Amino acid sequence: MFTTFRRIVSKLAGEFATAKANLERTRSDVDLAVAAILKTQRVEEMNDAAGFCASLRQCLEPLKCSVRFVKDAPAPFGDQDKVFRAFASLLGACLPPVPVPLAVRFAQVADSYRGMHQIVQKGCSAADVSRHFVVASSSARKGRLLAAVVTHFKPSNVFELGTAYGVSALFIAASQRTLGMTDRRLTTVEGFEPQASLSRAFLQAEFGDRVRCEFGLARNAIPQLVSEMKHVQFYFHDGGHT
């Protein structure tokens, strides 16, 4: 029994050492990728060079998601349930990194917002855009999850509630564009300023009429949009955090 125990411990120790070595190698690879990308960027013109690097790393570094099923799909879903479970397995193994052009664009957009100092006021609190962007926008990790959803399920009609500064919309619309399908569309709604104006200007310059930006509160905007939009395959609710 003692020999068997030693064999098990030795095997686990070997597996741990291999996993640690692989992780260190991957971190080194991410460092090399970030360094190579920085050579193509004007670092001296950045508002937050360290933040730019952090944004790139979030897009490229290894990342796993914890997946928990809270309800089984009803029997009629059949193949759709299998596709969803395959996606859950993908998340549990490793959330795919986004393509380098999207990682760079996200880092550029985030850095531009960090240089804006227009006042954002909501209720009795106020902050400038640079600070509010950090606390109110989707992270690159959430962006990778959204990109993975779009890439895996290939929804042709996406609806987002809560545009904020347009970061999540960037990951969704860029992933739609990467699919090469001209009929992919994203409709996004934001109910507050200056987020709505800033995100609309950015997203329309980036994607043109592929992204429809609407201003309004959910209770007012949704009934009108539902009557106009065709079947929505993917709905991302990120607004009205009450």
Side-chain angles (χ1 to χ4, degrees), residues 14-16 21 133 140 147 176 180 195 199 233:
E15 292 176 350
F16 176 78
F133 168 79
Q176 289 178 311
Q195 299 96 301
S199 61
Q233 284 92 18

Side-chain angles (χ1 to χ4, degrees), residues 40-91:
T40 68
Q41 306 299 307
R42 294 182 176 273
V43 179
E44 70 278 3
E45 297 179 1
M46 294 177 183
N47 296 297
D48 181 357
F52 189 94
C53 293
S55 297
L56 290 176
R57 289 183 182 281
Q58 289 179 13
C59 290
L60 304 174
E61 63 191 3
L63 180 62
K64 291 184 179 181
C65 293
S66 176
V67 181
R68 180 169 64 94
F69 285 88
V70 296
K71 184 178 181 181
D72 287 332
F77 273 80
D79 290 341
Q80 295 180 43
D81 182 53
K82 294 178 182 178
V83 172
F84 183 81
R85 289 182 180 275
F87 180 66
S89 297
L90 171 69
L91 299 185

Side-chain angles (χ1 to χ4, degrees), residues 49 106 109 126:
F106 164 69
V109 170

Side-chain angles (χ1 to χ4, degrees), residues 143-221:
R144 284 171 63 172
L145 178 59
L146 295 171
V149 170
V150 172
T151 302
H152 188 85
F153 295 101
K154 299 177 176 59
S156 60
N157 204 4
V158 179
F159 179 50
E160 176 192 35
L161 184 62
T163 318
Y165 293 98
V167 169
S168 53
L170 168 65
F171 281 93
I172 293 171
S175 299
Q176 289 178 311
R177 184 168 59 189
T178 300
L179 292 173
M181 303 295 289
T182 58
D183 61 341
R184 309 293 173 180
R185 290 291 182 270
L186 165 64
T187 300
T188 181
V189 178
E190 174 57 44
F192 297 95
E193 291 286 7
Q195 299 96 301
S197 295
L198 291 173
S199 61
R200 180 185 295 108
F202 150 56
L203 291 170
Q204 291 187 344
E206 194 83 13
F207 301 106
D209 61 2
R210 292 173 65 89
V211 176
R212 175 182 177 182
C213 299
E214 294 290 336
F215 176 74
L217 298 177
R219 61 177 177 270
N220 300 324

Side-chain angles (χ1 to χ4, degrees), residues 12-30:
L12 291 175
E15 292 176 350
F16 176 78
T18 300
K20 183 178 180 181
N22 289 338
L23 180 59
E24 291 298 325
R25 187 179 302 113
T26 301
R27 287 174 175 168
S28 177
D29 291 342
V30 172

